[in-house]
Amino acid sequence: MKKITKKQPWKYLFWLGPFLFMVGFTAGLVSGSWGLLPLAFMIPGIAIIGFWVFWQSQHSRWWASRSTQAGTNAVVATAAVLVILGLINFLGVRYQLRQDLTETQLFTLAPQSQELVRRLPQTVKIWVFDTNQNPQDRELLENYQRQSSKFQFEYVDPQSRPGIAERFGVKEYGEVYLESGNKRQLVQSLNVNERLSEIKLTNRLQQLINSTVIKAYFVQGHGEHPLTGGESGISQAVQGLSEKGYTVEPLNLADKLQVPNDAAVVVVAGAKRGFFDAEVKALQDYLNRGGNLLLMIDPDTDPKLNPLLQEWGVRLDNRLAVDVSGAGVGLGPAAPIITDYGQHPITKDFGNGISFYRLARPVEITSVAGVESTPLVRTKAYPNSWAESDLKSEKLEFNPDKDLKGPLTLGAALTRKLPATPTPLPTPTTQAQATPTPTATPTPTTPATPSPLPTPTTQGTPTPTTAEKSEQTPKESRLVVFGNSDFATDGVFQQQLNGDVFLNSISWLSQQDQQTLSIRPKEPKNRRITLSTSQANVLTLSSLLVLPLLGFLTAAFIWWRRR
């Protein structure tokens, strides 16, 4: 009884040490400050624990006992595991490594979105005026925020913060706004059926960054596809351009005989009748001054654009592209399925994606000095694909005398550098600078020579020189030719990669270096299994009767063998 009384003070003293240490540690952890108060508890606690361990090792063989060594090893191992887990947690928070294992990368931003956010010139903020924070929407916003610290977002309750809601003109819950500096723009309105869209958010970001107006003119008057809805219309393509910040306008060359100077790109979509010579000349002049043209010409049509195409080394084959490998998906042999794309900015992110072109003609490219060409879409190799010349035959067969073996090029992108000669724009500048030249130059015959560059240099006026050089910098004209226009029409535009082919072509043609290319909506694959009534009954019987019975028989057999 005396020994028990003698050991009780040391026992209580030992428990006082861990108690003081935990009080100090908790105080510092909660307050976030390891000042005097937490240390005042932690240091005495550590001292008491250390004293108790030292006293035990000196007055008993406690330290040398096997149980103490085993316990110490367990404590050290536990502490090591905790330290490793803490280090992993710290590194995970500091340096996030995410791996999206979904088949369609549902939780990963498209490369175009990532590139756009990483090069944001200034801070942008997303305001979501809603009381409910949808996990899917928040995950998307956090994915944007991980790309750059210049991207921020905040959820706001319009009722509790009416001042901010009034500043943006919020009318209802679910509205999402984008703000950058003094610019504000509505992204979309969220509801139960519509969640935050990466496509809309990226397009609004692009529009907010680029303040310039980009105009796309669609030539009309030759049987082209109408810009509005209806049969063979391209309203979905027009809407896609509008969402990317383009201003779309029709263009009748027969009235103006000149492409407007503000045209970033001109589109000829499915012309069925021939152009006048003056209209072809207007398109040629537009290209010669650095314009950009998209031609989508269907089979069995002749828009009389051969003079323009020959300058670029392009010839449209009159035969029909046939692809017998696509019959299994219901498209038919006259709708080639494309999975082979060229190495070009228009198709760089397509991979093995699918696009298809109903009733298409091959595009042949020949080498022309100063013109660089890249095939964009190619059909499969023969015998899966060839160019058929006999369109009236009911049975498609390759005729080596008339037909052309695949692979066939159905679309190509071409560029041509313009000569660095003074254009009509800088001419008035040199004439204006010619008047003061004799006062600074001792030889009055020098300005008469066709070399305007040295004249402003001797004048010592760097501003006109810089402007003149920028005007004389060689520009590039671009041309994209497809032997089909159906892929951009309503109903087909949103299928597979058809819309991406069109939108990416416009983006590249407009020569907007900071313009993002088209991104596809990501949808989960439908993995549902549809069972018939008989199949469902078999599954029910097998799971509720057959499998339990097999398990019971197996258990009974094992029990009998062990006896």
Side-chain angles (χ1 to χ4, degrees):
M1 190 70 181
K2 292 181 180 180
K3 291 183 180 180
I4 296 176
T5 306
K6 204 171 186 180
K7 292 183 179 180
Q8 281 181 349
W10 299 106
K11 179 180 179 181
Y12 293 136
L13 181 63
F14 166 72
W15 287 111
L16 183 62
F19 174 76
L20 294 176
F21 175 80
M22 291 304 300
V23 169
F25 180 78
T26 304
L29 189 65
V30 172
S31 63
S33 175
W34 302 94
L36 181 62
L37 182 61
L39 294 178
F41 284 97
M42 293 178 63
I43 293 176
I46 295 174
I48 292 173
I49 295 174
F51 175 77
W52 183 84
V53 172
F54 175 77
W55 184 87
Q56 288 287 347
S57 62
Q58 293 293 327
H59 291 77
S60 66
R61 302 189 63 183
W62 170 79
W63 188 259
S65 63
R66 181 178 299 179
S67 60
T68 302
Q69 294 178 356
T72 303
N73 292 336
V75 171
V76 171
T78 303
V81 171
L82 293 177
V83 170
I84 293 173
L85 292 176
L87 182 61
I88 293 174
N89 186 52
F90 170 77
L91 294 176
V93 173
R94 195 59 147 334
Y95 309 99
Q96 294 188 4
L97 178 62
R98 295 164 51 87
Q99 186 67 30
D100 190 352
L101 300 180
T102 58
E103 182 178 0
T104 56
Q105 299 292 290
L106 291 173
F107 305 103
T108 304
L109 293 180
Q112 298 88 337
S113 300
Q114 297 181 24
E115 180 184 358
L116 177 64
V117 177
R118 288 170 185 169
R119 55 178 172 79
L120 285 174
Q122 57 186 355
T123 301
V124 298
K125 188 170 184 179
I126 302 296
W127 297 86
V128 184
F129 292 93
D130 204 346
T131 55
N132 299 322
Q133 299 187 20
N134 184 275
Q136 179 181 345
D137 298 342
R138 189 175 183 87
E139 174 71 19
L140 178 61
L141 293 172
E142 290 175 350
N143 284 341
Y144 276 94
Q145 194 174 51
R146 292 186 184 99
Q147 305 302 322
S148 174
S149 58
K150 295 181 179 179
F151 184 94
Q152 303 173 2
F153 69 92
E154 183 177 350
Y155 279 83
V156 177
D157 184 1
Q159 296 293 336
S160 59
R161 302 174 69 180
I164 298 179
E166 184 178 356
R167 188 178 74 187
F168 285 87
V170 177
K171 298 180 180 179
E172 58 183 7
Y173 282 92
E175 292 186 357
V176 180
Y177 284 85
L178 178 63
E179 182 182 32
S180 178
N182 296 326
K183 300 178 181 178
R184 301 183 186 93
Q185 189 173 9
L186 176 66
V187 177
Q188 66 178 113
S189 296
L190 305 179
N191 52 54
V192 178
N193 299 321
E194 183 178 2
R195 304 318 313 165
L196 188 59
S197 168
E198 177 187 352
I199 298 175
K200 293 182 179 180
L201 183 53
T202 297
N203 288 337
R204 294 298 182 269
L205 277 172
Q206 182 63 55
Q207 295 175 22
L208 198 65
I209 294 173
N210 290 345
S211 57
T212 58
V213 178
I214 310 173
K215 283 193 175 182
Y217 286 91
F218 282 70
V219 177
Q220 299 288 290
H222 313 88
E224 292 88 355
H225 296 293
L227 303 184
T228 56
E231 186 178 359
S232 72
I234 53 174
S235 61
Q236 292 177 343
V238 172
Q239 181 182 357
L241 289 176
S242 300
E243 291 178 353
K244 292 176 70 64
Y246 287 84
T247 300
V248 178
E249 293 186 9
L251 175 62
N252 194 327
L253 288 175
D255 293 338
K256 298 183 178 181
L257 294 179
Q258 183 181 4
V259 176
N261 293 327
D262 61 351
V265 59
V266 174
V267 182
V268 178
K272 297 179 176 61
R273 295 183 291 273
F275 281 66
F276 292 114
D277 293 340
E279 294 178 300
V280 178
K281 181 65 166 53
L283 293 177
Q284 289 175 314
D285 293 341
Y286 172 65
L287 289 174
N288 290 336
R289 67 176 190 259
N292 310 284
L293 181 62
L294 172 60
L295 298 178
M296 300 185 293
I297 303 176
D298 295 312
D300 200 23
T301 60
D302 184 12
K304 307 297 183 182
L305 294 174
N306 289 333
L308 183 151
L309 295 174
Q310 289 175 1
E311 292 181 357
W312 291 75
V314 179
R315 190 183 77 85
L316 295 173
D317 198 305
N318 291 323
R319 289 168 286 196
L320 181 68
V322 174
D323 182 5
V324 295
S325 65
V329 296
L331 293 177
I337 296 178
I338 304 299
T339 57
D340 183 13
Y341 303 95
Q343 297 296 322
H344 193 272
I346 295 177
T347 55
K348 67 177 181 178
D349 296 323
F350 286 0
N352 295 324
I354 295 174
S355 61
F356 59 94
Y357 306 83
R358 299 183 301 195
L359 300 178
R361 64 198 305 176
V363 177
E364 296 183 2
I365 306 296
T366 57
S367 178
V368 173
V371 177
E372 297 181 2
S373 61
T374 303
L376 293 179
V377 291
R378 292 185 293 259
T379 65
K380 299 177 177 63
Y382 178 81
N384 290 323
S385 175
W386 69 85
E388 177 65 43
S389 58
D390 187 5
L391 304 181
K392 298 181 179 179
S393 176
E394 297 181 359
K395 186 177 181 181
L396 293 175
E397 291 182 349
F398 177 75
N399 189 337
D401 297 332
K402 298 180 180 180
D403 300 337
L404 178 65
K405 290 184 178 181
L408 308 172
T409 299
L410 302 185
L414 306 98
T415 60
R416 182 175 65 186
K417 291 288 185 181
L418 299 183
T421 55
T423 58
L425 290 175
T427 303
T429 308
T430 45
Q431 289 177 354
Q433 291 174 352
T435 53
T437 302
T439 61
T441 308
T443 56
T445 57
T446 302
T449 60
S451 57
L453 287 176
T455 304
T457 307
T458 55
Q459 278 299 106
T461 55
T463 304
T465 306
T466 305
E468 187 175 354
K469 285 183 179 179
S470 63
E471 293 292 348
Q472 294 184 0
T473 301
K475 294 191 297 183
E476 182 181 70
S477 55
R478 298 180 177 182
L479 174 68
V480 173
V481 182
F482 287 101
N484 174 265
S485 66
D486 179 79
F487 73 96
T489 57
D490 294 347
V492 183
F493 178 82
Q494 294 181 342
Q495 296 187 28
Q496 302 298 331
L497 294 176
N498 287 10
D500 296 69
V501 174
F502 176 81
L503 294 177
N504 286 5
S505 298
I506 297 293
S507 297
W508 179 76
L509 282 170
S510 60
Q511 300 194 35
Q512 301 296 318
D513 295 336
Q514 304 300 322
Q515 179 76 12
T516 56
L517 299 181
S518 174
I519 56 179
R520 296 296 300 168
K522 299 176 182 179
E523 300 177 353
K525 294 290 185 180
N526 186 1
R527 301 298 185 187
R528 295 189 181 97
I529 300 177
T530 304
L531 300 178
S532 62
T533 304
S534 59
Q535 291 174 332
N537 293 334
V538 171
L539 182 62
T540 302
L541 291 176
S542 61
S543 59
L544 297 181
L545 182 62
V546 177
L547 291 180
L549 182 60
L550 288 176
F552 176 77
L553 294 177
T554 303
F557 176 76
I558 295 174
W559 172 80
W560 180 78
R561 288 291 303 271
R562 288 185 174 181
R563 287 193 63 190

